[in-house]
């Protein structure tokens, strides 16, 4: 059974390209994943299809209303059970490779994209099961984080990548950054590929790559070695 991801957004146009090309596009064509985008404006009763309003109290910025979000999530839950209902939030738990690994084992996921100043807090209190952030910065909306998370999850599905072992060697899978990689030509402008990688000695190559991975991690992300 394919993994199904339902993405709820008030700006579906922002997701058209990232969800339909490259690995995600091929995964959908192979029947490995179903990725469905739902326009939140289709679930409002307002004749102008308005989904946001001013916040109570003080402060600038518009807030996504609870009513259309609740209608959309309720309609989706009538069709199937969901493992998680995820909200993209700058103050959420950090989305990591381990998170992607866990979510790739699920059957059905909902991802709600925040926008403007976010969503009515009651959505987060009563309708959401997980909240994830893709970094310590604020974006205009949650569409790009939703695309990032979807890509990270779907590429882990068996058959999504051409090489079944490719994802296992990615950075962060074993808590380390990936070592540098090389391809032909072996000598370009005097810039040479390390001899060990051309030796054909698998054990020594693997030992070298591990050493380089640890060194790279120590230099770039020492926090991962703590």
């Amino acid at each position: 059974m394919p993994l199904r991801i339902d993405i709820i957004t008030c700006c579906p146009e922002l997701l058209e390209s990232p969800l339909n090309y490259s690995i995600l596009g091929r995964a959908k064509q192979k029947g490995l994943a179903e990725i469905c985008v739902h326009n939140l404006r289709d679930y409002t009763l307002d004749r102008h299809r308005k989904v946001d309003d001013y916040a109570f109290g003080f402060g600038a910025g518009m807030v996504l209303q609870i009513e259309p979000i609740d209608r959309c999530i309720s309609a989706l839950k009538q069709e199937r059970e969901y493992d998680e209902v995820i909200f993209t939030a700058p103050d959420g738990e950090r989305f990591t490779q381990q998170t992607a690994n866990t979510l790739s084992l699920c059957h059905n996921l909902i991802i709600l994209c925040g926008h403007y100043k976010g969503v009515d807090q009651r959505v987060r209190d009563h309708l959401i099961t997980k909240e994830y952030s893709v970094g310590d910065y604020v974006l205009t909306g949650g569409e790009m984080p939703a695309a990032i998370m979807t890509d990270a999850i779907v590429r882990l599905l068996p058959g999504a990548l051409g090489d079944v072992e490719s994802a296992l060697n990615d950075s962060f899978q074993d808590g380390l950054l990936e070592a540098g990689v090389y391809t032909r030509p072996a000598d370009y402008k005097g810039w040479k590929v390390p001899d060990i990688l051309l030796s054909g000695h698998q054990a020594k190559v693997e030992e070298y790559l591990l050493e380089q991975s640890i060194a790279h991690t120590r230099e770039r992300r020492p926090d991962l070695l703590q």
Side-chain angles (χ1 to χ4, degrees):
M1 183 171 65
L3 167 65
R4 182 182 175 98
I5 301 178
D6 288 284
I7 302 177
I8 303 172
T9 171
C10 61
C11 299
E13 300 83 2
L14 294 176
L15 292 167
E16 288 180 0
S17 179
L19 298 183
N20 290 296
Y21 295 93
S22 190
I23 291 173
L24 291 184
R26 291 196 297 270
K28 291 198 295 183
Q29 292 175 358
K30 292 180 179 180
L32 303 175
E34 294 180 2
I35 306 172
C36 302
V37 177
H38 304 270
N39 190 339
L40 190 58
R41 299 183 190 280
D42 294 337
Y43 293 87
T44 179
L45 300 181
D46 182 90
R47 65 190 182 95
H48 300 294
R49 305 182 79 208
K50 185 179 179 182
V51 295
D52 62 319
D53 209 335
Y54 293 102
F56 285 122
F58 298 98
M62 305 297 282
V63 180
L64 289 179
Q65 298 172 295
I66 188 172
E67 292 175 289
I69 294 173
D70 184 34
R71 289 194 191 96
C72 184
I73 291 177
S74 296
L76 292 174
K77 284 186 173 181
Q78 288 179 1
E79 298 180 6
R80 62 187 58 82
E81 294 185 1
Y82 286 88
D83 299 278
E84 301 289 357
V85 180
I86 298 167
F87 177 55
T88 59
D91 59 345
E93 176 186 338
R94 179 68 64 89
F95 185 86
T96 66
Q97 187 62 46
Q98 287 67 41
T99 308
N101 291 342
T102 299
L103 294 176
S104 72
L105 301 177
C106 294
H107 298 294
N108 302 302
L109 299 170
I110 291 176
I111 302 179
L112 171 64
C113 302
H115 214 78
Y116 311 117
K117 285 293 287 185
V119 300
D120 188 302
Q121 181 61 37
R122 290 168 291 184
V123 172
R124 303 175 72 170
D125 292 342
H126 301 288
L127 302 177
I128 300 300
T129 63
K130 293 287 186 180
E131 298 184 348
Y132 292 115
S133 166
V134 296
D136 295 340
Y137 45 84
V138 177
L139 298 171
T140 302
E143 287 76 19
M144 293 302 100
I148 289 170
M149 290 190 288
T150 299
D151 185 280
I153 294 167
V154 171
R155 69 189 305 277
L156 295 172
L157 300 177
L161 298 178
D163 185 343
V164 68
E165 295 185 1
S166 180
L168 299 178
N169 298 323
D170 286 340
S171 291
F172 305 110
Q173 280 290 11
D174 55 2
L176 298 172
L177 299 183
E178 188 176 8
V181 294
Y182 301 84
T183 188
R184 295 178 178 81
D187 186 339
Y188 179 71
K189 293 185 176 181
W191 306 333
K192 298 182 179 180
V193 173
D195 291 338
I196 184 64
L197 297 180
L198 307 175
S199 68
H201 195 301
Q202 183 175 352
K204 289 185 177 180
V205 168
E206 291 178 353
E207 181 181 1
Y208 169 82
L209 291 177
L210 177 58
E211 291 174 351
Q212 292 299 304
S213 179
I214 294 173
H216 186 52
T217 304
R218 183 177 293 111
E219 176 188 356
R220 299 291 182 92
R221 289 291 303 276
D223 56 296
L224 295 175
L225 298 174
Q226 297 176 359

